[in-house]
Amino acid sequence: LLGDPGGWRSDLSERLIEIADDPAGADVVVADTDHLARALASGAPNVIVDGTRKASRALERGGFAVMRLLPVPVAGPPLMLLNLASRRAARYGIEHALSHPERWRAVRNRVAARLVGAGLRPPVGELLSVATRSPGDPALLEIARDLGVPPGADWAMLVSPGSAVRRNAFLVFPRGQSRPGLVVKFGRMRGLDEHFAREERGASVLTATGGTASARAPEYRGRAERDGFWISVETAASGTKLSSFLRAPAPRARRLVPLEAVADWLVRVARETAGRAGDLEPERARLARDVLPEWETLGIPADLVGAVARVPGSLQHNDLAEENVIVDGAGFTVLDWEWAKAHGLPLGDLVYFGVHVLRLLDGALSEPDRERHFVALLRGEAASSPILFAWIRRLVGALELPPESVGAAVTLSLLDRGSLSARQRLSAEASTGAPLEAAFGERMARLWLSAPGLGPAWDAWRRVS
């Protein structure tokens, strides 16, 4: 590592990658533009320069094959890395990666997308130049050959913010196509087999369920490993993440359309997959054994699990937030089924989805606003409270749930999600050695138990506005 390219040292250390300040014998040299000459003289077979376009031309003159990556957005942590040689993929990435409430920014992005699609570089100074003496496909895409990824395909990379144990993904574009055909997810660290095994189990649950649920999900193709790095392959969902769609400059009524579609789908899935009340018994036992003891100091009722004895189990996605829905015109696709359960609490997905997406519809964009909106939404004080309550009444009616069980079912779902979020945080801290702040799932559970008007006795959903 030469110089101080922003964030590289801490990020490489978090991923347990050995760093040397002397480039002799290094597999990869990473440098800022001030140390470009030293990087070129190092003799390393691979060089990455975080800097200007001039760096890529200097690397080419040095005999390297150079890939120019455009980070999107160009300021701050990237959400995508776009290979400018893959014109169609780069255009797709700019068109779908970002949305801004300001119309002029949206117009600017459309212009930039057309420029890269025509092979012209957008007017930005910073590029990531990846240079090698042995050009070819990214190694992680080569691993995926047996799972249907063709050689020489165009691609764009999705970058997950947050902990290093989260996965990135390649969007893989069939030759000559402007939309992705496959997604290759990959671990950013060695040894993340648990994540990929869980995803495989979730895919099996979904395949066995079929019907309305699987019609809105990608097709899982399998997983593979090389040198401790895992990948998985599934069909791609074309379109825009719901999180971006909801931030776009569009009328509220238009932004509400896909939310109503997903809520309607959740009700139909619950109706289609609901079994007998006894099917939920293993889940109730797990909640009583593994989840409720973590929250008993906050005053939860001793008979909380018993309050859902007459509630049937139904398919549960268990992570249905705005980042896991892709919208495309009138259609949508639900991603990331790794936490899926064949017999889960039927209200869990609907409330979790509503909490995450309706705050964006209402303009609660900051983290403090997010927490305030959570409380207001569920107490019936937010602009979108009537929307969420109507969804809940629809599901309660469809499954003929006892109204008195709703508060307990929502409580169990939120505490379960809070416990899962806490375990994920602790596992990530153990893997990387870096402390992490509590995610919204943890904070949400605590708010639910502490805010007046919420908790196991919650009945605000019955109000009709």
Side-chain angles (χ1 to χ4, degrees), residues 143-144 146-149 167 182-185 196 199-200 203 219-225 230-235:
I143 301 173
D146 291 341
L147 297 173
V149 175
R167 296 177 294 180
L182 295 172
V183 173
V184 180
K185 300 177 184 178
F196 291 88
E199 179 182 47
E200 190 171 48
E219 177 189 339
Y220 181 76
R221 296 289 179 85
R223 62 186 179 119
E225 177 268 344
W230 282 91
I231 63 99
S232 67
V233 179
E234 66 187 29
T235 56

Side-chain angles (χ1 to χ4, degrees), residues 198-417:
R198 187 170 58 231
E199 179 182 47
E200 190 171 48
R201 290 193 296 270
S204 297
V205 168
L206 184 62
T207 299
T209 301
T212 299
S214 61
R216 293 292 185 181
E219 177 189 339
Y220 181 76
R221 296 289 179 85
R223 62 186 179 119
E225 177 268 344
R226 181 184 294 173
D227 193 27
F229 288 95
W230 282 91
I231 63 99
S232 67
V233 179
E234 66 187 29
T235 56
S238 295
T240 302
K241 279 191 175 183
L242 186 55
S243 54
S244 296
F245 177 86
L246 291 173
R247 289 179 170 89
R252 177 183 172 91
R254 181 184 170 195
R255 291 183 292 136
L256 181 59
V257 170
L259 308 189
E260 292 285 3
V262 175
D264 180 68
W265 173 77
L266 284 171
V267 172
R268 286 186 286 117
V269 168
R271 185 191 297 116
E272 190 175 288
T273 63
R276 298 171 291 106
D279 293 336
L280 198 60
E281 181 54 37
E283 179 71 351
R284 289 198 296 266
R286 182 190 67 83
L287 291 167
R289 180 186 65 247
D290 299 338
V291 175
L292 294 188
E294 299 176 9
W295 303 94
E296 60 187 3
T297 58
L298 296 180
I300 58 174
D303 63 343
L304 188 60
V305 171
V308 296
R310 294 166 55 200
V311 173
S314 64
L315 179 70
Q316 187 175 9
H317 179 281
N318 212 28
D319 192 19
L320 193 52
E322 68 275 20
E323 295 294 328
N324 286 336
V325 179
I326 301 292
V327 295
D328 187 23
F332 66 88
T333 304
V334 177
L335 309 178
D336 290 348
W337 289 81
E338 62 180 285
W339 297 103
K341 302 175 185 178
H343 303 294
L345 288 162
L347 283 163
D349 282 345
L350 186 63
V351 172
Y352 191 80
F353 175 72
V355 163
H356 281 75
V357 300
L358 293 175
R359 63 111 179 177
L360 297 175
L361 187 68
D362 290 347
L365 304 182
S366 71
E367 284 302 303
D369 286 345
R370 185 181 198 179
E371 295 192 3
R372 286 191 290 268
H373 187 269
F374 171 80
V375 173
L377 178 70
L378 291 163
R379 287 206 298 219
E381 300 164 355
S384 290
S385 293
I387 296 171
L388 176 62
F389 294 171
W391 293 348
I392 292 173
R393 290 194 297 271
R394 200 185 316 163
L395 191 148
V396 169
L399 299 189
E400 299 181 350
L401 300 179
E404 63 275 11
S405 71
V406 171
V410 173
T411 299
L412 289 167
S413 294
L414 294 176
L415 297 187
D416 188 27
R417 187 64 206 180

Side-chain angles (χ1 to χ4, degrees), residues 74-151:
V74 294
L79 298 176
M80 293 190 81
L81 292 175
L82 305 179
N83 180 2
L84 293 180
S86 300
R87 296 182 185 181
R88 291 183 178 88
R91 175 170 181 167
Y92 178 91
I94 293 176
E95 288 176 338
H96 293 88
L98 297 174
S99 289
H100 295 283
E102 302 94 341
R103 293 187 183 276
W104 73 268
R105 292 181 185 272
V107 171
R108 179 201 61 188
N109 287 351
R110 287 196 293 270
V111 171
R114 291 192 179 98
L115 286 174
V116 299
L120 302 173
R121 296 175 190 171
V124 295
E126 297 295 313
L127 290 176
L128 189 64
S129 298
V130 180
T132 181
R133 302 287 188 188
S134 304
D137 288 336
L140 293 167
L141 293 184
E142 291 182 352
I143 301 173
R145 291 275 172 78
D146 291 341
L147 297 173
V149 175

Side-chain angles (χ1 to χ4, degrees), residues 10-16 77 158-168 186-189 192 195 421-439:
S10 60
D11 286 353
L12 291 172
S13 297
E14 187 180 1
R15 288 154 180 76
L16 308 181
L158 296 169
V159 180
S160 295
S163 168
V165 301
R166 298 189 67 183
R167 296 177 294 180
N168 285 1
F186 64 90
R188 297 189 282 192
M189 298 175 61
L192 296 181
H195 298 250
S421 180
R423 288 193 295 272
Q424 287 180 295
R425 175 176 57 80
L426 294 173
S427 175
E429 289 177 343
S431 297
T432 65
L436 298 171
E437 294 183 0

